[in-house]
Amino acid sequence: MSKTLGVEIGTERVRAVLSGRGNDVRTFDLPIGAARIDDAVAQLRAAIGDVGKIGIAIGLGSLHVKSVKLPPASATERRRMLSVEPDRWFAVPSGVSTAVSLVGAGDIALGADGAMVDGCVAAFSAWGSVVRMEAAPVALARAMRASGISSGTAMLDAASGEFGSVVLRDGMLQSVRRARSDGSTEERATPTRTQDLDPQFSVALGAALEFDDSLDEMLLTPALERSFQAAIRRQVFAWGAAAALAVCASIWAAGVSRERLLTALESELVTARAGAATGSALSQQAVALDREVSAIKITTDSRMDALAAFAALGVRLPTEAVAQRVRIVGNEWQIEGNTGKAAAVLAALAAEPTFERVRFLAPSNRFRDGNAERETFAIAFAIR
């Protein structure tokens, strides 16, 4: 099994935990800070030799801590909100490269100098495979969980004259704080006692635990994030290629010739393409049908009830009125005819709640029908 290294890079010291086979754990404490990271890597490499995976945690003394409220989004998008304008969230100059991390329930933002973070990754990458770059509070929380502590408070080093504390609740970071130190040793105490290590190596131990491919909660600059994502893609591709090679080897071992394998693959490819073409055509037809149904529904929902409109018209027209012509265009109606009093027809139609904008289209003309005098009417109105 290859050796795994966890490193805490503080402002004044570099602490490392090396784990190998079984419970074999070694610790290293170098009086060298982040400013001399190349020297620290050289000394560790000389003492350890080759290593496999490396996890790095930036000490609290080099971190900016901020409570933030961000819009609801994925963890990746919320972290990128911080990286777009880091000077809005942290006390850093505008335009300066800043590594950011969003931890806990997504409301604890951590920032660090981007050039320092990139430099630490570059220095350790010349020695082994750096698979994690994070803030010290995140590594300490992982070490606490590994020791069976799901809720509690732990102390960790910060800058000179300061100490830091983290609060863990139900396995999740609840708060991160930096405060002035009064020099007492009690402030530096921590309840973490994983694998019988001195508590001061808890952060380094946490950096070496439970490696995975998730970038959530990592402390990354945009360039470093792209680099980690590319490494993950390469690893996934390598796994896929290894799996494909294993399948091919098993088929070959079963006695299937290369020609028969190629023929079978080509046949499957043709079948898959045909199925894909059919599925694509059906999908397009389904989309077209959905559009037609939506159009029909919109039309029918907006269309008036003609029978109800005719019924209302029949009720409202005076009994002596004669409708000679009815014209309908959409919701607009026009009715022409004759009656005893044209004004009575207008008033009757205007009293119908479903009719609106009732008006004469032309002047009324009088004429005699036998012994009775009648008037023509041409009235327009709209159906609600």
Side-chain angles (χ1 to χ4, degrees), residues 233-247:
R233 286 194 294 268
R234 288 193 298 269
Q235 187 177 48
V236 171
F237 177 80
W239 287 343
L245 183 60
V247 171

Side-chain angles (χ1 to χ4, degrees), residues 8 17 57 132 134-151 154-156 166 168 171 173 190-210:
E8 178 190 7
V17 171
R132 174 186 288 151
E134 62 188 351
V138 178
L140 179 56
R142 187 181 301 111
M144 292 174 67
R145 290 192 296 266
S147 66
I149 302 173
S150 60
S151 298
M155 304 300 176
L156 71 166
V166 300
L168 200 65
L173 267 176
T190 170
T192 306
R193 292 290 190 275
T194 304
Q195 298 186 18
D196 297 325
L197 288 180
D198 189 308
Q200 66 182 351
F201 292 99
S202 297
V203 172
L205 177 66
L209 295 175
E210 303 173 11

